[in-house]
Amino acid sequence: RWGAAVLKVLKIIAARNEVQKILYTNIRIRDTDNLEVKRQKRAIQTSVSRYVHSKRRCVEMLIQNNFTAEDWYCVLTFQEDKLPPEKVQADAKFQYFLKRLKQAGCSGLRYLKVLEHRHGAGRYHFHVVLAGQGVTQDKLRQAWAGTYGFARVAHLRIASVPRLAGYLCKEAPDAVNKRLYSRSRPPNALQDPTVQRMFVPDHYRLVTPRGCQTVERRPLCENAFGTVESLSYLTPEGRANMFLTI
């Protein structure tokens, strides 16, 4: 459409509460490029790849696409005599926690769960973002604390989700816990955000739309062969969730 003016690529990752955009120069590494040219072009490509495949951003957008300020963030820990010795026992106790919620009248339970075990005293504990019909703070506390230990429960703060996602990703997968996070499965599966990729002219600029609120704007890479920059913002629905009165 723009002919020679098509020099940049725009990738849009859209969730219900937040949109992330990355704008970068459309480049190719050619066999005839010398080593320095290849190095600078790879720097552009690497910067794009790190942004797009960031685990933190994946967790952030899953939360922003599936949960609101009416939903819950829980930290579930074990008392000493209930502490599981291995991951499989910890996961089994979480499943029993879900069962107790259902027995208490909760349904349609959707969650994103992170099991940690390497920081602090090295004790297994869960961070969980959870939603469902009939879920209350008292039911969450009773389903866990009444059985296994201690439960910190609060409504999810939409404006704090980027920081929360960074916190949830602080432990890299290892031999004990091979997956950074797990999520509810069908029929209560979480929905992935939508992803679009398009060519735009060189003069295109990232702008926060009217009615939205900027979360982060960052220059990610710049050299003689191009630029990479990102922008994330809360949607009008995300902003409304910020001020939702529970």
Side-chain angles (χ1 to χ4, degrees):
R1 180 181 172 183
W2 294 288
V6 181
L7 296 175
K8 291 188 176 180
V9 177
L10 174 65
K11 181 166 282 191
I12 304 171
I13 307 164
R16 177 168 56 182
N17 296 322
E18 183 180 341
V19 174
Q20 296 181 348
K21 296 182 177 180
I22 181 168
L23 178 68
Y24 54 97
T25 306
N26 185 34
I27 59 172
R28 292 182 180 179
I29 298 177
R30 306 181 185 280
D31 292 338
T32 54
D33 291 338
N34 63 42
L35 290 177
E36 177 58 22
V37 170
K38 288 181 178 179
R39 185 189 68 80
Q40 293 198 45
K41 286 185 175 181
R42 286 197 183 100
I44 297 289
Q45 294 176 338
T46 299
S47 182
V48 173
S49 180
R50 284 177 178 169
Y51 183 93
V52 171
H53 297 105
S54 163
K55 292 296 184 184
R56 179 185 74 81
R57 296 190 181 280
C58 180
V59 168
E60 179 180 339
M61 294 303 275
L62 270 177
I63 294 174
Q64 294 286 42
N65 200 45
N66 291 277
F67 302 96
T68 74
E70 294 179 327
D71 300 321
W72 304 94
Y73 170 57
C74 313
V75 182
L76 310 176
T77 60
F78 295 93
Q79 62 191 46
E80 195 64 39
D81 61 329
K82 302 289 187 180
L83 187 65
E86 296 182 354
K87 177 183 182 296
V88 63
Q89 287 95 339
D91 286 332
K93 292 178 187 298
F94 181 81
Q95 291 303 314
Y96 186 64
F97 162 71
L98 296 179
K99 181 178 180 179
R100 282 178 57 84
L101 286 175
K102 294 174 184 177
Q103 291 171 343
C106 304
S107 61
L109 297 175
R110 296 176 290 110
Y111 63 84
L112 184 144
K113 167 175 66 76
V114 174
L115 174 63
E116 294 184 340
H117 71 100
R118 292 211 307 275
H119 68 281
R123 300 163 62 96
Y124 284 110
H125 61 283
F126 293 102
H127 295 267
V128 185
V129 182
L130 185 143
Q133 290 77 50
V135 178
T136 66
Q137 190 175 58
D138 286 344
K139 288 179 181 179
L140 287 165
R141 285 176 173 162
Q142 184 57 36
W144 185 268
T147 307
Y148 295 127
F150 311 97
R152 292 208 321 262
V153 181
H155 280 291
L156 182 67
R157 298 177 59 189
I158 296 302
S160 298
V161 167
R163 186 168 66 250
L164 173 62
Y167 182 77
L168 296 181
C169 295
K170 63 182 178 294
E171 286 194 6
D174 60 13
V176 174
N177 198 17
K178 296 181 179 179
R179 299 182 64 185
L180 178 64
Y181 65 90
S182 57
R183 51 201 276 191
S184 51
R185 297 185 178 184
N188 302 316
L190 302 186
Q191 300 299 310
D192 291 317
T194 62
V195 180
Q196 293 178 280
R197 183 180 182 274
M198 62 190 72
F199 293 106
V200 295
D202 185 54
H203 58 77
Y204 185 92
R205 295 294 178 264
L206 294 177
V207 177
T208 300
R210 181 175 298 180
C212 300
Q213 178 175 319
T214 302
V215 174
E216 180 184 63
R217 177 190 294 274
R218 291 180 62 196
L220 301 177
C221 184
E222 181 176 0
N223 59 37
F225 295 93
T227 60
V228 184
E229 56 183 313
S230 67
L231 170 69
S232 59
Y233 54 84
L234 293 180
T235 64
E237 185 172 354
R239 289 192 67 206
N241 269 310
M242 285 176 58
F243 304 108
L244 187 64
T245 300
I246 306 299

